[in-house]
Amino acid sequence: MAKYITVVLCALVLPVCYSAKILAIFPMAIPSHYILGNALLRGLAEAGHDVTMISPFSEKKPPKKGSWRDVVLTGFIEKHEERMSAVTKYLSDSVPPVASAIAMPLLSVSLTEDILTHKNVRQLIESGEKFDVVIFGQFLDDAVKAFSNLFNAHLVVFSSISTNTMINEFVGNPSLPSFAPEFFSNYPPKMSFLERVTNTLNKVAFTLALHLYSYPKHAALAQKYISESIDFNQILYNTSLVLLNSHPSISTPLPRVPCMVEIGGFHIKPPKKLPEDLQSFLDNSTEGVIYMSMGSHMKSKDLPVEKREALLKTFSNLKQKVLWKWEDDVLPGQPPNVKLGKWLPQQDILAHPNVKVFITHGGLLSTTETVYHGVPIVAIPLMGDQKMNAYGAEVAGYAKIVHLSELTESKMSSTLNEVLSNPKYRNEVQRRSQIMRDRQVHPLDEAIYWVEYVIRHNGAKHLRVAYLDLAWYQYYLLDVIAFILAVIVVTYLLLRTVLRYVLRKCRSRKVKSD
Ligand SMILES: *[C@@H]1O[C@H](CO)[C@@H](O)[C@H](O)[C@H]1NC(C)=O
């Protein structure tokens, strides 16, 4: 009987002991962002934690373990589309990247206000609920970090890209524009002199925009909508852990302080069985398959007609088959070697050995997945981070870029044939695939471990680097350099005065003795 009671008590108590309350905020209405946040939170829920996720999307199949609650930012997807079309109108290719970098902090203010005033978020803010951890899917909506203070939680920041200016200074991560290209600069890891000049100016401009405009605005938002007593600056520098969706197989290796953990590739799942028609299509295409998907952001049917026709002509002349994610029922002029699918299980398709090339917009998830499965790419990047990823992949040597403006049949054919026939692209991506898979633990397990670690060690303040307590001029040694220069100058002046005095004395003695 006693044994029975113990078992029941344990069953009742243990989950409470070991399950943490986790609040995640992934406010961007961009599917790839949500997919990453969702994969992380699913992992945490499956590890037995109570998960609440604020995002524009909702989870239709919540995990069976732990608990899952959605706080849906209704209306955000529609608003995002409006915003994007307004932004892309003003920010064309001819605008220098730094202009878009400065425009981003400006845009972030109204986006963040939308989050903080949303009725579902207000309900949570006013609920008096407490959490153990707040995980913030960061872009520039910094005011949201004040949730950590409101809910009495440790702050964990998730970044969909590697270490960057938006997060480095808050955890004291060393990063100089000499070796760390700004994410919007589109520069290779080894920059030329002129690239370093531009990159430095970009960093200065971006930092000024953040400090002079963005952070004061966000501080005001946090005080207005969360709590008047908030010391926003303290919150910014109070980050316990940063999870980076990067890895040397897909991103430039950069320094990381101990509280920064790389989990790139964590969202990739073991391949599942393909639907029967796809399986037999891929199995039977012994000449190889080209898989084409422009992601969820742009529908293939929105592709300009002449570009679509250029692609179709290219495909019809290939001996390979083509599998095209096409969201419409019909594709005018569809060649017999092209198979369409409205929704395609991308990861499982890339895992098939007959897939030879992936034609992609170069989105973050697509580039990560293609490296994991070792498939070279032809990228048609359309917007911001796609250009960055595609460029990174081309520099790394497993991709060729075809810009939409230069997409013609001859350009597409020659590029596609180059990637199909020259083994260097495939070899490089396969080499990187091995690097990505060579991990001590699965990156999702690593992420879960670190979130739990932060809870176990009450914010893991022992990981903080001393730089965080230094002023910027101290960090850059400006005070030390100024001191050393002053000592040199003073010593020089002193010596000069003394020497002059002695010389004068000697001379006057000489005159007297003469
Ligand atoms: C900073 O975080 C710790 C725990 O991670 C918390 O105890 C402390 O109150 C936070 N400080 C502020 C100003 O939010």
mmCIF file of all heavy atoms in Angstrom, residues 469-504:
data_model
loop_
_atom_site.group_PDB
_atom_site.id
_atom_site.type_symbol
_atom_site.label_atom_id
_atom_site.label_comp_id
_atom_site.label_asym_id
_atom_site.label_seq_id
_atom_site.Cartn_x
_atom_site.Cartn_y
_atom_site.Cartn_z
ATOM 1 N N ASP A 469 30.519 44.642 -17.914
ATOM 2 C CA ASP A 469 30.574 45.689 -16.906
ATOM 3 C C ASP A 469 31.502 46.824 -17.325
ATOM 4 O O ASP A 469 31.738 47.747 -16.562
ATOM 5 C CB ASP A 469 31.021 45.105 -15.564
ATOM 6 C CG ASP A 469 30.091 43.989 -15.133
ATOM 7 O OD1 ASP A 469 28.867 44.136 -15.343
ATOM 8 O OD2 ASP A 469 30.567 42.954 -14.637
ATOM 9 N N LEU A 470 32.043 46.738 -18.534
ATOM 10 C CA LEU A 470 32.933 47.803 -19.000
ATOM 11 C C LEU A 470 32.172 48.775 -19.899
ATOM 12 O O LEU A 470 31.247 48.376 -20.608
ATOM 13 C CB LEU A 470 34.092 47.213 -19.823
ATOM 14 C CG LEU A 470 35.095 46.309 -19.112
ATOM 15 C CD1 LEU A 470 36.169 45.871 -20.088
ATOM 16 C CD2 LEU A 470 35.726 47.024 -17.927
ATOM 17 N N ALA A 471 32.617 50.041 -19.880
ATOM 18 C CA ALA A 471 32.073 50.995 -20.838
ATOM 19 C C ALA A 471 32.723 50.727 -22.200
ATOM 20 O O ALA A 471 33.781 50.090 -22.276
ATOM 21 C CB ALA A 471 32.377 52.410 -20.380
ATOM 22 N N TRP A 472 32.122 51.198 -23.266
ATOM 23 C CA TRP A 472 32.630 50.857 -24.602
ATOM 24 C C TRP A 472 34.064 51.333 -24.808
ATOM 25 O O TRP A 472 34.881 50.660 -25.408
ATOM 26 C CB TRP A 472 31.701 51.399 -25.697
ATOM 27 C CG TRP A 472 31.574 52.891 -25.729
ATOM 28 C CD1 TRP A 472 30.684 53.646 -25.039
ATOM 29 C CD2 TRP A 472 32.384 53.803 -26.474
ATOM 30 N NE1 TRP A 472 30.881 54.965 -25.295
ATOM 31 C CE2 TRP A 472 31.920 55.096 -26.179
ATOM 32 C CE3 TRP A 472 33.448 53.657 -27.362
ATOM 33 C CZ2 TRP A 472 32.481 56.240 -26.738
ATOM 34 C CZ3 TRP A 472 34.005 54.792 -27.924
ATOM 35 C CH2 TRP A 472 33.527 56.071 -27.615
ATOM 36 N N TYR A 473 34.398 52.506 -24.239
ATOM 37 C CA TYR A 473 35.775 52.987 -24.454
ATOM 38 C C TYR A 473 36.771 52.152 -23.655
ATOM 39 O O TYR A 473 37.926 52.014 -24.024
ATOM 40 C CB TYR A 473 35.892 54.478 -24.110
ATOM 41 C CG TYR A 473 35.511 54.815 -22.687
ATOM 42 C CD1 TYR A 473 36.449 54.730 -21.662
ATOM 43 C CD2 TYR A 473 34.209 55.191 -22.363
ATOM 44 C CE1 TYR A 473 36.105 55.016 -20.348
ATOM 45 C CE2 TYR A 473 33.847 55.475 -21.058
ATOM 46 C CZ TYR A 473 34.798 55.384 -20.055
ATOM 47 O OH TYR A 473 34.444 55.647 -18.777
ATOM 48 N N GLN A 474 36.268 51.529 -22.575
ATOM 49 C CA GLN A 474 37.150 50.625 -21.824
ATOM 50 C C GLN A 474 37.350 49.337 -22.616
ATOM 51 O O GLN A 474 38.443 48.807 -22.688
ATOM 52 C CB GLN A 474 36.541 50.304 -20.458
ATOM 53 C CG GLN A 474 36.490 51.505 -19.533
ATOM 54 C CD GLN A 474 35.739 51.205 -18.249
ATOM 55 O OE1 GLN A 474 34.744 50.473 -18.249
ATOM 56 N NE2 GLN A 474 36.219 51.781 -17.146
ATOM 57 N N TYR A 475 36.270 48.832 -23.213
ATOM 58 C CA TYR A 475 36.352 47.603 -24.000
ATOM 59 C C TYR A 475 37.338 47.770 -25.153
ATOM 60 O O TYR A 475 38.152 46.903 -25.431
ATOM 61 C CB TYR A 475 34.972 47.224 -24.532
ATOM 62 C CG TYR A 475 35.018 46.069 -25.495
ATOM 63 C CD1 TYR A 475 35.286 44.785 -25.050
ATOM 64 C CD2 TYR A 475 34.800 46.273 -26.859
ATOM 65 C CE1 TYR A 475 35.344 43.725 -25.922
ATOM 66 C CE2 TYR A 475 34.844 45.217 -27.739
ATOM 67 C CZ TYR A 475 35.116 43.936 -27.272
ATOM 68 O OH TYR A 475 35.166 42.895 -28.153
ATOM 69 N N TYR A 476 37.267 48.909 -25.838
ATOM 70 C CA TYR A 476 38.171 49.132 -26.966
ATOM 71 C C TYR A 476 39.530 49.647 -26.496
ATOM 72 O O TYR A 476 40.328 50.099 -27.304
ATOM 73 C CB TYR A 476 37.536 50.098 -27.971
ATOM 74 C CG TYR A 476 36.429 49.440 -28.770
ATOM 75 C CD1 TYR A 476 35.099 49.772 -28.567
ATOM 76 C CD2 TYR A 476 36.727 48.456 -29.702
ATOM 77 C CE1 TYR A 476 34.084 49.153 -29.275
ATOM 78 C CE2 TYR A 476 35.730 47.831 -30.410
ATOM 79 C CZ TYR A 476 34.405 48.186 -30.195
ATOM 80 O OH TYR A 476 33.414 47.552 -30.897
ATOM 81 N N LEU A 477 39.780 49.623 -25.198
ATOM 82 C CA LEU A 477 41.078 49.996 -24.611
ATOM 83 C C LEU A 477 41.416 51.452 -24.844
ATOM 84 O O LEU A 477 42.576 51.848 -24.752
ATOM 85 C CB LEU A 477 42.211 49.105 -25.185
ATOM 86 C CG LEU A 477 42.194 47.640 -24.768
ATOM 87 C CD1 LEU A 477 43.187 46.852 -25.608
ATOM 88 C CD2 LEU A 477 42.528 47.490 -23.296
ATOM 89 N N LEU A 478 40.432 52.264 -25.171
ATOM 90 C CA LEU A 478 40.733 53.661 -25.488
ATOM 91 C C LEU A 478 41.313 54.371 -24.269
ATOM 92 O O LEU A 478 42.233 55.175 -24.393
ATOM 93 C CB LEU A 478 39.472 54.379 -25.976
ATOM 94 C CG LEU A 478 38.895 53.827 -27.275
ATOM 95 C CD1 LEU A 478 37.746 54.694 -27.775
ATOM 96 C CD2 LEU A 478 39.971 53.737 -28.356
ATOM 97 N N ASP A 479 40.799 54.049 -23.064
ATOM 98 C CA ASP A 479 41.338 54.698 -21.862
ATOM 99 C C ASP A 479 42.773 54.263 -21.616
ATOM 100 O O ASP A 479 43.629 55.070 -21.253
ATOM 101 C CB ASP A 479 40.444 54.418 -20.651
ATOM 102 C CG ASP A 479 40.153 52.939 -20.453
ATOM 103 O OD1 ASP A 479 40.410 52.152 -21.392
ATOM 104 O OD2 ASP A 479 39.689 52.560 -19.360
ATOM 105 N N VAL A 480 43.051 52.968 -21.849
ATOM 106 C CA VAL A 480 44.413 52.461 -21.647
ATOM 107 C C VAL A 480 45.368 53.083 -22.664
ATOM 108 O O VAL A 480 46.457 53.558 -22.315
ATOM 109 C CB VAL A 480 44.418 50.919 -21.764
ATOM 110 C CG1 VAL A 480 45.837 50.380 -21.702
ATOM 111 C CG2 VAL A 480 43.564 50.324 -20.656
ATOM 112 N N ILE A 481 44.925 53.119 -23.929
ATOM 113 C CA ILE A 481 45.775 53.706 -24.970
ATOM 114 C C ILE A 481 46.021 55.182 -24.663
ATOM 115 O O ILE A 481 47.159 55.664 -24.748
ATOM 116 C CB ILE A 481 45.128 53.515 -26.360
ATOM 117 C CG1 ILE A 481 45.100 52.023 -26.710
ATOM 118 C CG2 ILE A 481 45.892 54.288 -27.434
ATOM 119 C CD1 ILE A 481 44.267 51.683 -27.916
ATOM 120 N N ALA A 482 44.966 55.878 -24.246
ATOM 121 C CA ALA A 482 45.116 57.299 -23.920
ATOM 122 C C ALA A 482 46.091 57.474 -22.763
ATOM 123 O O ALA A 482 46.956 58.353 -22.789
ATOM 124 C CB ALA A 482 43.756 57.900 -23.563
ATOM 125 N N PHE A 483 45.997 56.592 -21.781
ATOM 126 C CA PHE A 483 46.898 56.675 -20.623
ATOM 127 C C PHE A 483 48.350 56.460 -21.054
ATOM 128 O O PHE A 483 49.250 57.226 -20.699
ATOM 129 C CB PHE A 483 46.480 55.642 -19.577
ATOM 130 C CG PHE A 483 47.430 55.524 -18.417
ATOM 131 C CD1 PHE A 483 47.488 56.523 -17.451
ATOM 132 C CD2 PHE A 483 48.283 54.433 -18.304
ATOM 133 C CE1 PHE A 483 48.369 56.430 -16.379
ATOM 134 C CE2 PHE A 483 49.163 54.330 -17.241
ATOM 135 C CZ PHE A 483 49.211 55.328 -16.281
ATOM 136 N N ILE A 484 48.572 55.407 -21.852
ATOM 137 C CA ILE A 484 49.943 55.105 -22.288
ATOM 138 C C ILE A 484 50.498 56.273 -23.115
ATOM 139 O O ILE A 484 51.632 56.716 -22.918
ATOM 140 C CB ILE A 484 49.977 53.781 -23.090
ATOM 141 C CG1 ILE A 484 49.645 52.625 -22.138
ATOM 142 C CG2 ILE A 484 51.334 53.564 -23.733
ATOM 143 C CD1 ILE A 484 49.484 51.287 -22.819
ATOM 144 N N LEU A 485 49.667 56.794 -24.011
ATOM 145 C CA LEU A 485 50.115 57.945 -24.811
ATOM 146 C C LEU A 485 50.454 59.124 -23.902
ATOM 147 O O LEU A 485 51.486 59.778 -24.069
ATOM 148 C CB LEU A 485 49.034 58.356 -25.809
ATOM 149 C CG LEU A 485 48.899 57.456 -27.038
ATOM 150 C CD1 LEU A 485 47.783 57.974 -27.940
ATOM 151 C CD2 LEU A 485 50.221 57.401 -27.805
ATOM 152 N N ALA A 486 49.603 59.341 -22.891
ATOM 153 C CA ALA A 486 49.832 60.465 -21.978
ATOM 154 C C ALA A 486 51.157 60.284 -21.239
ATOM 155 O O ALA A 486 51.951 61.218 -21.121
ATOM 156 C CB ALA A 486 48.676 60.568 -20.986
ATOM 157 N N VAL A 487 51.399 59.039 -20.779
ATOM 158 C CA VAL A 487 52.658 58.777 -20.073
ATOM 159 C C VAL A 487 53.836 59.055 -20.997
ATOM 160 O O VAL A 487 54.816 59.716 -20.618
ATOM 161 C CB VAL A 487 52.697 57.321 -19.556
ATOM 162 C CG1 VAL A 487 54.094 56.955 -19.082
ATOM 163 C CG2 VAL A 487 51.687 57.141 -18.439
ATOM 164 N N ILE A 488 53.748 58.599 -22.251
ATOM 165 C CA ILE A 488 54.846 58.814 -23.203
ATOM 166 C C ILE A 488 55.053 60.313 -23.420
ATOM 167 O O ILE A 488 56.182 60.822 -23.357
ATOM 168 C CB ILE A 488 54.549 58.098 -24.542
ATOM 169 C CG1 ILE A 488 54.598 56.581 -24.326
ATOM 170 C CG2 ILE A 488 55.558 58.507 -25.609
ATOM 171 C CD1 ILE A 488 54.137 55.780 -25.513
ATOM 172 N N VAL A 489 53.938 61.027 -23.639
ATOM 173 C CA VAL A 489 54.054 62.462 -23.925
ATOM 174 C C VAL A 489 54.624 63.209 -22.715
ATOM 175 O O VAL A 489 55.555 64.006 -22.832
ATOM 176 C CB VAL A 489 52.677 63.040 -24.337
ATOM 177 C CG1 VAL A 489 52.725 64.562 -24.400
ATOM 178 C CG2 VAL A 489 52.256 62.463 -25.679
ATOM 179 N N VAL A 490 54.086 62.893 -21.526
ATOM 180 C CA VAL A 490 54.547 63.585 -20.314
ATOM 181 C C VAL A 490 56.037 63.291 -20.080
ATOM 182 O O VAL A 490 56.832 64.194 -19.797
ATOM 183 C CB VAL A 490 53.689 63.171 -19.090
ATOM 184 C CG1 VAL A 490 54.328 63.640 -17.797
ATOM 185 C CG2 VAL A 490 52.294 63.735 -19.234
ATOM 186 N N THR A 491 56.411 62.003 -20.213
ATOM 187 C CA THR A 491 57.827 61.648 -20.035
ATOM 188 C C THR A 491 58.691 62.415 -21.022
ATOM 189 O O THR A 491 59.736 62.980 -20.665
ATOM 190 C CB THR A 491 58.020 60.126 -20.276
ATOM 191 O OG1 THR A 491 56.983 59.443 -19.615
ATOM 192 C CG2 THR A 491 59.368 59.667 -19.781
ATOM 193 N N TYR A 492 58.247 62.450 -22.276
ATOM 194 C CA TYR A 492 59.010 63.161 -23.299
ATOM 195 C C TYR A 492 59.158 64.635 -22.931
ATOM 196 O O TYR A 492 60.268 65.184 -22.940
ATOM 197 C CB TYR A 492 58.302 63.008 -24.636
ATOM 198 C CG TYR A 492 58.844 63.930 -25.718
ATOM 199 C CD1 TYR A 492 60.078 63.675 -26.323
ATOM 200 C CD2 TYR A 492 58.126 65.054 -26.124
ATOM 201 C CE1 TYR A 492 60.576 64.519 -27.292
ATOM 202 C CE2 TYR A 492 58.610 65.906 -27.096
ATOM 203 C CZ TYR A 492 59.838 65.636 -27.684
ATOM 204 O OH TYR A 492 60.331 66.478 -28.638
ATOM 205 N N LEU A 493 58.022 65.269 -22.534
ATOM 206 C CA LEU A 493 58.069 66.697 -22.191
ATOM 207 C C LEU A 493 58.979 66.929 -20.985
ATOM 208 O O LEU A 493 59.788 67.864 -20.966
ATOM 209 C CB LEU A 493 56.661 67.222 -21.908
ATOM 210 C CG LEU A 493 55.747 67.314 -23.134
ATOM 211 C CD1 LEU A 493 54.366 67.783 -22.731
ATOM 212 C CD2 LEU A 493 56.347 68.259 -24.179
ATOM 213 N N LEU A 494 58.856 66.052 -19.988
ATOM 214 C CA LEU A 494 59.679 66.182 -18.776
ATOM 215 C C LEU A 494 61.158 66.089 -19.133
ATOM 216 O O LEU A 494 61.971 66.944 -18.770
ATOM 217 C CB LEU A 494 59.332 65.078 -17.790
ATOM 218 C CG LEU A 494 58.340 65.453 -16.677
ATOM 219 C CD1 LEU A 494 58.062 64.250 -15.803
ATOM 220 C CD2 LEU A 494 58.903 66.605 -15.849
ATOM 221 N N LEU A 495 61.480 65.013 -19.902
ATOM 222 C CA LEU A 495 62.878 64.795 -20.292
ATOM 223 C C LEU A 495 63.405 66.014 -21.048
ATOM 224 O O LEU A 495 64.525 66.486 -20.832
ATOM 225 C CB LEU A 495 62.995 63.553 -21.178
ATOM 226 C CG LEU A 495 63.089 62.219 -20.415
ATOM 227 C CD1 LEU A 495 63.165 61.058 -21.399
ATOM 228 C CD2 LEU A 495 64.338 62.220 -19.517
ATOM 229 N N ARG A 496 62.557 66.518 -21.972
ATOM 230 C CA ARG A 496 62.982 67.647 -22.788
ATOM 231 C C ARG A 496 63.271 68.865 -21.903
ATOM 232 O O ARG A 496 64.313 69.512 -22.047
ATOM 233 C CB ARG A 496 61.896 67.994 -23.809
ATOM 234 C CG ARG A 496 62.457 68.727 -25.010
ATOM 235 C CD ARG A 496 61.389 68.999 -26.027
ATOM 236 N NE ARG A 496 60.362 69.880 -25.495
ATOM 237 C CZ ARG A 496 59.471 70.518 -26.254
ATOM 238 N NH1 ARG A 496 59.464 70.332 -27.558
ATOM 239 N NH2 ARG A 496 58.583 71.302 -25.709
ATOM 240 N N THR A 497 62.349 69.118 -20.956
ATOM 241 C CA THR A 497 62.542 70.278 -20.079
ATOM 242 C C THR A 497 63.817 70.108 -19.255
ATOM 243 O O THR A 497 64.638 71.023 -19.160
ATOM 244 C CB THR A 497 61.339 70.438 -19.132
ATOM 245 O OG1 THR A 497 60.164 70.141 -19.870
ATOM 246 C CG2 THR A 497 61.263 71.819 -18.552
ATOM 247 N N VAL A 498 63.992 68.927 -18.688
ATOM 248 C CA VAL A 498 65.168 68.676 -17.849
ATOM 249 C C VAL A 498 66.441 68.834 -18.667
ATOM 250 O O VAL A 498 67.392 69.536 -18.277
ATOM 251 C CB VAL A 498 65.094 67.264 -17.210
ATOM 252 C CG1 VAL A 498 66.413 66.905 -16.540
ATOM 253 C CG2 VAL A 498 63.956 67.213 -16.216
ATOM 254 N N LEU A 499 66.431 68.191 -19.888
ATOM 255 C CA LEU A 499 67.624 68.266 -20.743
ATOM 256 C C LEU A 499 67.944 69.711 -21.103
ATOM 257 O O LEU A 499 69.100 70.145 -21.049
ATOM 258 C CB LEU A 499 67.400 67.453 -22.011
ATOM 259 C CG LEU A 499 67.744 65.955 -21.891
ATOM 260 C CD1 LEU A 499 67.457 65.249 -23.196
ATOM 261 C CD2 LEU A 499 69.218 65.788 -21.501
ATOM 262 N N ARG A 500 66.884 70.445 -21.462
ATOM 263 C CA ARG A 500 67.089 71.841 -21.838
ATOM 264 C C ARG A 500 67.726 72.616 -20.684
ATOM 265 O O ARG A 500 68.652 73.400 -20.879
ATOM 266 C CB ARG A 500 65.760 72.488 -22.196
ATOM 267 C CG ARG A 500 65.441 72.317 -23.658
ATOM 268 C CD ARG A 500 64.343 73.249 -24.036
ATOM 269 N NE ARG A 500 63.929 72.965 -25.388
ATOM 270 C CZ ARG A 500 62.718 73.259 -25.848
ATOM 271 N NH1 ARG A 500 61.843 73.826 -25.058
ATOM 272 N NH2 ARG A 500 62.439 72.982 -27.092
ATOM 273 N N TYR A 501 67.154 72.343 -19.482
ATOM 274 C CA TYR A 501 67.629 73.040 -18.289
ATOM 275 C C TYR A 501 69.110 72.744 -18.057
ATOM 276 O O TYR A 501 69.946 73.628 -17.896
ATOM 277 C CB TYR A 501 66.786 72.598 -17.094
ATOM 278 C CG TYR A 501 67.198 73.189 -15.781
ATOM 279 C CD1 TYR A 501 66.864 74.508 -15.462
ATOM 280 C CD2 TYR A 501 67.956 72.448 -14.875
ATOM 281 C CE1 TYR A 501 67.254 75.055 -14.257
ATOM 282 C CE2 TYR A 501 68.346 72.990 -13.678
ATOM 283 C CZ TYR A 501 67.995 74.297 -13.366
ATOM 284 O OH TYR A 501 68.387 74.834 -12.169
ATOM 285 N N VAL A 502 69.428 71.432 -18.142
ATOM 286 C CA VAL A 502 70.819 70.995 -17.908
ATOM 287 C C VAL A 502 71.733 71.613 -18.952
ATOM 288 O O VAL A 502 72.804 72.164 -18.641
ATOM 289 C CB VAL A 502 70.909 69.456 -17.942
ATOM 290 C CG1 VAL A 502 72.347 68.988 -17.898
ATOM 291 C CG2 VAL A 502 70.103 68.875 -16.788
ATOM 292 N N LEU A 503 71.275 71.555 -20.226
ATOM 293 C CA LEU A 503 72.111 72.104 -21.319
ATOM 294 C C LEU A 503 72.367 73.597 -21.090
ATOM 295 O O LEU A 503 73.491 74.078 -21.261
ATOM 296 C CB LEU A 503 71.404 71.905 -22.662
ATOM 297 C CG LEU A 503 71.628 70.527 -23.314
ATOM 298 C CD1 LEU A 503 70.886 70.434 -24.620
ATOM 299 C CD2 LEU A 503 73.125 70.280 -23.529
ATOM 300 N N ARG A 504 71.234 74.289 -20.703
ATOM 301 C CA ARG A 504 71.389 75.731 -20.491
ATOM 302 C C ARG A 504 72.407 75.994 -19.375
ATOM 303 O O ARG A 504 73.287 76.824 -19.499
ATOM 304 C CB ARG A 504 70.037 76.350 -20.147
ATOM 305 C CG ARG A 504 69.930 77.771 -20.699
ATOM 306 C CD ARG A 504 68.589 78.393 -20.351
ATOM 307 N NE ARG A 504 67.457 77.611 -20.812
ATOM 308 C CZ ARG A 504 66.399 77.357 -20.056
ATOM 309 N NH1 ARG A 504 66.330 77.784 -18.823
ATOM 310 N NH2 ARG A 504 65.404 76.667 -20.544
#
